[in-house]
Amino acid sequence: EEEKKKAEEAEASKETPSSGSSGRGEAATLLGMTGFGLSMVLRNPAAARALRVAGPAGMALGVFLTVYDLGGWKLVIAVPVSILAFSCAGYFFDSKEEENIKSALVNEIRTNCVELPSDVAEALPEAQGIEYESNKWRLEKDFEGKTVRDPHWRVRAKATRGSRFSPWVLSSIEVSRGTRVEVKEGESALPPQTRNWDCTKGQLKWEVIWDTAL
């Protein structure tokens, strides 16, 4: 009976998957790191280029084997799925918050800057904002007049937030009006050669008509 019991325990131990890592993932990662490190000191260009590719590949293989040893295919699939879900959630939240900050911007301008035409304010939500630094957002949009004599308009706005999943808060708004410079006969008023320079549009004189720091 004792021999039968020992045989059953041995059989059960074979069928039960071992917990933890087998060490092959750590070994592959270490080899990859070593190869990548050697690529920085080798004088042979061909060998250095090969190790620059093989090193990171070995580290990636090591990470894959470690994850597989810890949780099998379920964990291997769960990791990229979780990363993708988190990225999608962040993208959806950013899109929603940008809509909210643009709506708040339009409300502020309509309330405090009556000089700005209503059609310009209505077109602001279509302008593209940008997160130029971590948790710092800005929007800058120029609007041309409907006719040659109509003034141009420029709206600039900035907003900040505490973290990626915090709402944007407006920090400053600036509304400017641009009028064409009248050029007398015989005089030259070439536009400055800036990034958005267009020699066909003539020179504009910009005047800030409303500026606030919230």
Side-chain angles (χ1 to χ4, degrees), residues 121-196:
E122 292 174 358
L124 275 176
E126 300 177 4
Q128 183 64 39
I130 183 174
E131 187 175 358
Y132 64 98
E133 289 183 13
S134 297
N135 301 319
K136 291 185 179 181
W137 177 87
R138 72 182 175 195
L139 181 146
E140 181 174 343
K141 181 66 176 178
D142 290 354
F143 299 90
E144 296 184 5
K146 295 181 179 180
T147 65
V148 178
R149 295 185 177 276
D150 289 341
H152 291 220
W153 297 92
R154 174 179 293 165
V155 178
R156 291 174 175 171
K158 290 185 178 181
T160 59
R161 62 182 178 183
S163 65
R164 182 175 184 180
F165 292 101
S166 299
W168 290 110
V169 179
L170 286 169
S171 58
S172 65
I173 305 173
E174 180 184 286
V175 179
S176 303
R177 178 173 53 204
T179 55
R180 293 188 180 276
V181 176
E182 297 292 337
V183 181
K184 297 181 181 179
E185 186 177 354
E187 294 183 354
S188 175
L190 293 176
Q193 296 184 13
T194 59
R195 180 179 300 176
N196 299 320

Side-chain angles (χ1 to χ4, degrees), residues 3-211:
E3 292 179 358
K4 185 178 180 180
K5 187 176 181 180
K6 290 180 180 179
E8 291 177 354
E9 290 177 355
E11 189 68 22
S13 64
K14 291 180 181 179
E15 295 178 354
T16 304
S18 58
S19 60
S21 175
S22 63
R24 55 183 180 175
E26 291 85 342
T29 303
L30 182 60
L31 287 175
M33 294 175 63
T34 304
F36 187 73
L38 287 175
S39 69
M40 299 181 180
V41 297
L42 288 179
R43 296 179 179 274
N44 189 320
R49 285 195 296 269
L51 287 176
R52 286 195 189 101
V53 176
M59 289 187 281
L61 177 61
V63 172
F64 173 82
L65 292 175
T66 301
V67 173
Y68 178 79
D69 289 339
L70 292 174
W73 285 109
K74 291 183 178 180
L75 185 59
V76 171
I77 297 174
V79 170
V81 169
S82 300
I83 295 175
L84 179 62
F86 181 80
S87 300
C88 292
Y91 176 79
F92 175 79
F93 184 82
D94 285 344
S95 301
K96 191 65 177 178
E97 283 303 314
E98 185 164 358
E99 292 179 4
N100 294 338
I101 194 64
K102 288 179 181 178
S103 178
L105 173 62
V106 172
N107 291 335
E108 286 287 340
I109 291 178
R110 282 179 172 174
T111 303
N112 299 287
C113 184
V114 295
E115 294 90 344
L116 188 70
S118 59
D119 57 337
V120 174
E122 292 174 358
L124 275 176
E126 300 177 4
Q128 183 64 39
I130 183 174
E131 187 175 358
Y132 64 98
E133 289 183 13
S134 297
N135 301 319
K136 291 185 179 181
W137 177 87
R138 72 182 175 195
L139 181 146
E140 181 174 343
K141 181 66 176 178
D142 290 354
F143 299 90
E144 296 184 5
K146 295 181 179 180
T147 65
V148 178
R149 295 185 177 276
D150 289 341
H152 291 220
W153 297 92
R154 174 179 293 165
V155 178
R156 291 174 175 171
K158 290 185 178 181
T160 59
R161 62 182 178 183
S163 65
R164 182 175 184 180
F165 292 101
S166 299
W168 290 110
V169 179
L170 286 169
S171 58
S172 65
I173 305 173
E174 180 184 286
V175 179
S176 303
R177 178 173 53 204
T179 55
R180 293 188 180 276
V181 176
E182 297 292 337
V183 181
K184 297 181 181 179
E185 186 177 354
E187 294 183 354
S188 175
L190 293 176
Q193 296 184 13
T194 59
R195 180 179 300 176
N196 299 320
W197 177 52
D198 188 348
C199 63
T200 64
K201 294 183 178 180
Q203 188 175 3
L204 295 174
K205 180 180 179 181
W206 290 98
E207 176 187 5
V208 178
I209 61 172
W210 183 62
D211 183 9

